[in-house]
Amino acid sequence: MAILERIHLSIIREVDRHGSLTAAASHLNLTQPALSHAIRKLEEQLGVDVWHREGRSLRPTQAGEWLLAVANRLLPQLAHAEERLQQFAQGERGTLRIGMECHPCYQWLLKIVAPYVDAWPKVDVDVRQKFQFGGIGALFGHDIDMLVTPDPLFKPGLCFEPVFDYEQVLVVGPGHRLRHAAFVEPQQVADEVLITYPVAPDRLDIYTQFLMPAGISPRQHKPIETTDIMLLMVAHGRGVAALPRWLVEEYGAKFNVSPVRLGRDGVAKQIFLGFREADADIGYLRGFIDLALAHRDGTTAQL
């Protein structure tokens, strides 16, 4: 059983502040006998006096001075900790750790994070891209709180909410033969250098939903990590790429590239926000999802 308790520190500090046991007891909503008994019991258990008693006045002993310094240091920290915990309980404060499981989603995320940090000023946002294509384990391991992914993996204990619809397209340069085509067939990509993010083909939509079902492979598959370099290569005729239509339209004028539909019906995709089911009621997490949903139509129009 602990000997030194928070009430002892509070008593030491309030006696120093107000100059007497009576005033300190009033401030702490205690009776003077109760306060005196608490300190006397503490002194007996510690085997050291906290005050020199000189009539009605109290003067701290060396031990009392040290205990007063501890009280002045710890009590504000405890009060601050309690305030923070209440804010956590009410969903007002925390750190929202977001893991990215798709390269182009980062551009979409920026458009949500900007208004979010204004709406939730007491919540920090940490975006972690090292969890690309390993986000489910990061969610279960509590390394992240939210996963941005176009490929949800529904598991017990996890929730995924679609927040943005988009179309995956082929990206071609200014002089490409398919630039003005209404759509492209898989066999038309067979002689192309296909530029993608550095991801295994079985995790790329252009392979899984377009080329593989037709038994087609590109002449060469060239991975490039950054979107700007990828589009620069396409613009200079070094290959074609597969990206979301909204991203191509946003960067199209800068790089003089064009989107072409993959197949007659296109390849439809969604961005999902994944999170632990147990965290579904956390206010600031739910606030991010609601903001993403609220921006769905506006984001689509802008992008």
Side-chain angles (χ1 to χ4, degrees), residues 51-289:
W51 288 302
H52 294 296
R53 292 169 174 81
E54 300 170 350
R56 293 187 176 183
S57 65
L58 299 174
R59 181 169 54 85
T61 61
Q62 185 178 11
E65 290 282 5
W66 184 85
L67 203 55
L68 176 61
V70 171
N72 287 334
R73 184 174 70 253
L74 291 185
L75 288 175
Q77 293 179 1
L78 289 172
H80 183 61
E82 289 175 343
E83 179 185 359
R84 285 292 182 92
L85 289 172
Q86 289 176 352
Q87 291 170 337
F88 283 135
Q90 296 165 4
E92 295 177 357
R93 179 185 290 274
T95 298
L96 181 61
R97 299 166 300 171
I98 302 173
M100 302 299 299
E101 203 177 45
C102 80
H103 289 72
C105 293
Y106 187 77
Q107 304 298 327
W108 170 85
L109 181 68
L110 292 177
K111 299 179 182 295
I112 307 301
V113 169
Y116 178 79
V117 295
D118 289 334
W120 294 83
K122 296 180 179 179
V123 177
D124 295 325
V125 177
D126 182 12
V127 179
R128 304 182 179 185
Q129 296 191 72
K130 67 179 181 179
F131 294 109
Q132 288 164 348
F133 304 101
I136 299 298
L139 272 178
F140 276 122
H142 290 258
D143 295 312
I144 58 175
D145 306 302
M146 181 175 289
L147 177 65
V148 181
T149 179
D151 301 304
L153 186 59
F154 295 95
K155 295 276 190 179
L158 298 183
C159 299
F160 288 91
E161 192 153 347
V163 293
F164 180 46
D165 302 327
Y166 69 96
E167 179 188 0
Q168 192 80 349
V169 296
L170 191 73
V171 191
V172 300
H176 198 278
R177 58 189 172 84
L178 296 173
R179 184 178 180 91
H180 300 293
F183 60 91
V184 59
E185 297 287 1
Q187 59 269 23
Q188 293 176 288
V189 183
D191 291 331
E192 299 287 349
V193 175
L194 178 61
I195 302 171
T196 73
Y197 293 110
V199 177
D202 62 359
R203 295 296 305 269
L204 291 169
D205 298 317
I206 190 169
Y207 277 93
T208 60
Q209 298 192 43
F210 185 66
L211 294 175
M212 287 180 177
I216 300 293
S217 296
R219 176 167 58 87
Q220 182 183 351
H221 179 194
K222 187 173 185 178
I224 292 180
E225 188 164 341
T226 60
T227 303
D228 283 1
I229 298 299
M230 183 185 299
L231 292 176
L232 186 65
M233 291 297 175
V234 171
H236 285 79
R238 301 293 185 88
V240 297
L243 290 171
R245 180 181 290 274
W246 61 264
L247 190 61
V248 181
E249 292 176 349
E250 181 175 352
Y251 284 88
K254 177 181 178 181
F255 291 98
N256 195 17
V257 295
S258 300
V260 183
R261 174 161 289 180
L262 292 170
R264 187 180 298 274
D265 298 325
V267 174
K269 294 290 293 180
Q270 290 178 304
I271 291 176
F272 290 79
L273 296 182
F275 51 94
R276 291 177 293 274
E277 187 176 1
D279 295 341
D281 294 330
I282 294 178
Y284 60 82
L285 187 145
R286 187 70 238 177
F288 189 93
I289 297 171

Side-chain angles (χ1 to χ4, degrees), residues 1-13 38-51 63-75 78:
M1 182 177 179
I3 296 176
L4 185 62
E5 299 178 5
R6 183 175 181 178
I7 186 60
H8 298 131
L9 298 179
S10 297
I11 292 172
I12 296 293
R13 184 176 66 168
I39 293 299
R40 190 177 302 111
K41 184 176 180 181
L42 175 66
E43 290 176 326
E44 291 174 357
Q45 290 176 320
L46 292 176
V48 63
D49 289 339
V50 174
W51 288 302
E65 290 282 5
W66 184 85
L67 203 55
L68 176 61
V70 171
N72 287 334
R73 184 174 70 253
L74 291 185
L75 288 175
L78 289 172

Side-chain angles (χ1 to χ4, degrees), residues 9-20 23-25 27-28 35 68 75:
L9 298 179
S10 297
I11 292 172
I12 296 293
R13 184 176 66 168
E14 295 308 318
V15 168
D16 179 71
R17 282 180 172 180
H18 300 285
S20 70
H27 186 79
L28 293 171
L35 187 150
L68 176 61
L75 288 175

